[in-house]
């Protein structure tokens, strides 16, 4: 179930918005993404989706492999200040509240994905340390 949630949490991260015009005419432009972040983010998202499918197919044996995207996505999270370092330039009246910002979904999804991948990695590592007899069929 957690692997499926992790795969679904990748959806807002595939193409974060570059710019948005709100209903009141405020034009918001995304900040420049730090070097290396797009490549690492997309690579980690592909790995999360593949591992989620593999987990559904093979069971708990592969869950420890979620440590790889967990480390990569944690790096992305730190480099983008929690996934929310996108709204820097605004032209117009007032900025919208944070919860209505189009980049809020990106920040929330990245934070959820970091937590989910680390949770899955820890579950997998603990299961491996207990040995094969501790795994359920």
């Amino acid at each position: 179930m957690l692997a499926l949630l992790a795969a679904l949490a990748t959806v807002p991260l595939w193409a974060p918005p570059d710019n948005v015009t709100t209903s009141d005419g405020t034009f918001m432009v995304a900040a420049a993404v730090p070097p290396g972040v797009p490549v690492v983010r997309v690579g980690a998202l592909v790995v999360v989706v593949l591992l989620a499918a593999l987990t559904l197919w093979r069971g708990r044996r592969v869950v420890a492999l979620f440590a790889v995207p967990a480390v990569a996505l944690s790096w992305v999270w730190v480099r983008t200040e929690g996934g929310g370092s996108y709204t820097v330039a605004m032209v117009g009246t007032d900025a919208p509240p944070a919860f209505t910002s189009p980049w809020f979904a990106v920040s929330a999804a990245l934070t959820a994905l970091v937590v989910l991948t680390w949770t899955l990695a820890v579950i997998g590592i603990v299961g491996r340390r207990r040995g094969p007899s501790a795994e359920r069929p």
Side-chain angles (χ1 to χ4, degrees), residues 2 48 51 53 67 71 76 91 96 103 119 122 127-128 130 135-137:
L2 290 177
V48 167
L51 283 175
V71 169
V76 169
V91 179
W103 289 277
T119 301
V122 168
R128 283 189 180 264
R130 288 185 181 165
E135 289 186 13
R136 295 180 185 166

Side-chain angles (χ1 to χ4, degrees), residues 18-65:
D18 290 331
N19 56 64
V20 173
T21 302
T22 63
S23 59
D24 66 352
T26 302
F27 183 69
M28 300 164 34
V29 181
V33 179
V37 165
V39 173
V40 173
R41 181 181 60 223
V42 171
L45 297 181
V46 169
V47 172
V48 167
V49 172
L50 291 175
L51 283 175
L54 193 59
T55 301
L56 294 174
W57 179 52
R58 297 290 294 174
R60 292 183 59 183
R61 295 180 200 148
V62 296
V63 176
L65 296 176

Side-chain angles (χ1 to χ4, degrees), residues 66 90 123 127 135:
F66 273 97
M90 290 173 276
I123 288 170
E135 289 186 13

Side-chain angles (χ1 to χ4, degrees), residues 40-41 43-44 66-78 110 114 118:
V40 173
R41 181 181 60 223
F66 273 97
V68 173
V71 169
L73 289 167
S74 295
W75 179 81
V76 169
W77 191 86
V78 168
L110 183 58
V114 166
W118 276 113

